[in-house]
Amino acid sequence: MPSASRTARDLARVELTRAILDSAREQLREVGPAALSVRAVARDVGMVSSAVYRYFPSRDSLLTALLVEAYDDLGEAVERAHAAAAGSPPAVRWRVACHALRDWARDQPHRYALAYGSPVPGYVAPADTVAPAGRVATVLLGIVGRVTADRPAADRGPGPGSPAVSDAEARSVEPVGRLLDPPLPPAETARLLGAWATLLGHVSLELFGHLENAVLDLDVHFAHLLDLLVADLGLPEG
């Protein structure tokens, strides 16, 4: 059984870790990830910088903790919305998941910027960010994968008017397709990657002000964009 003093120390460490992350998250909101300062965080929580480094050995480790936290928070929001739509047609579940991503991003633009904005100079995300980063993509990949698996083999592949997938492109996107069992065919994988890029591209353009005065009703436009993606991916409406 742990001693009372050990338990108190553990609790104190948990509380201080939370305080450091809360302060760093607020810095993200105010100055952005590139300007994140361990010294400023230490000052905010009433510690010296050397004490903060006992919890996070470097600024990069603090950034990594914030990044993993953001990916997990977003992933949970999308997974929860998708689960609530269980039993709905694939097109409905796709729209629900995409709306959940956009809603989270609009509510947490500073955290979205950390996850999907400009890279922080000199920072390289470590391998332990990969699984959290893939949570949203896994939801969307699963929707498309299930639909594809249920189609007759003759109906898989490029849709009418779509270019054929070259051997080079098939090899290029194979790692993504193999995230599913059975693997997603190259044509569907390439189409899904294009949809993913379109989704994130639109949300980024909206959040960072690039659609200001260009699109008058962003909600209407986003709904139409999802209709286009649903049609391109061939997701059933019923």
Side-chain angles (χ1 to χ4, degrees):
M1 174 178 288
S3 67
S5 60
R6 175 65 180 275
T7 301
R9 285 197 302 271
D10 290 344
L11 288 173
R13 185 173 185 85
V14 169
E15 290 299 320
L16 281 171
T17 300
R18 182 179 298 117
I20 291 168
L21 288 172
D22 287 346
S23 174
R25 206 179 305 115
E26 187 59 28
Q27 270 206 48
L28 285 183
R29 186 190 306 274
E30 294 177 356
V31 301
L36 180 67
S37 164
V38 173
R39 185 182 300 276
V41 169
R43 185 168 56 248
D44 185 48
V45 298
M47 302 170 68
V48 295
S49 299
S50 58
V52 173
Y53 286 125
R54 290 201 291 269
Y55 294 82
F56 297 96
S58 66
R59 186 207 65 156
D60 283 4
S61 67
L62 182 54
L63 272 174
T64 296
L66 292 170
L67 187 57
V68 168
E69 182 185 66
Y71 280 137
D72 277 333
D73 195 21
L74 171 58
E76 182 180 346
V78 172
E79 290 164 359
R80 185 169 56 247
H82 181 250
S88 300
V92 173
R93 289 186 280 115
W94 174 272
R95 291 189 182 94
V96 165
C98 292
H99 274 293
L101 184 151
R102 178 177 179 246
D103 290 346
W104 184 91
R106 297 207 301 180
D107 187 55
Q108 307 277 339
H110 54 294
R111 301 174 76 196
Y112 179 88
L114 174 64
Y116 297 113
S118 300
V120 177
Y123 173 75
V124 178
D128 55 359
T129 62
V130 173
R135 290 177 65 171
V136 175
T138 297
V139 171
L140 300 179
L141 190 65
I143 295 170
V144 174
R146 184 70 267 160
V147 169
T148 301
D150 289 343
R151 285 185 183 134
D155 294 338
R156 300 172 191 167
S162 298
V165 177
S166 67
D167 291 342
E169 170 67 351
R171 290 192 298 272
S172 178
V173 301
E174 183 180 17
V176 175
R178 290 197 172 278
L179 292 174
L180 291 179
D181 185 19
L184 197 63
E188 280 74 13
T189 304
R191 191 176 291 115
L192 178 61
L193 284 170
W196 175 241
T198 299
L199 174 63
L200 290 185
H202 173 87
V203 172
S204 296
L205 288 173
E206 178 181 345
L207 285 188
F208 305 145
H210 298 296
L211 297 180
E212 193 73 27
N213 298 321
V215 175
L216 300 182
D217 192 323
L218 290 167
D219 293 337
V220 169
H221 181 64
F222 187 70
H224 181 69
L225 178 72
L226 295 187
D227 289 344
L228 294 174
L229 296 180
V230 161
D232 188 52
L233 293 167
L235 300 178
E237 296 278 6

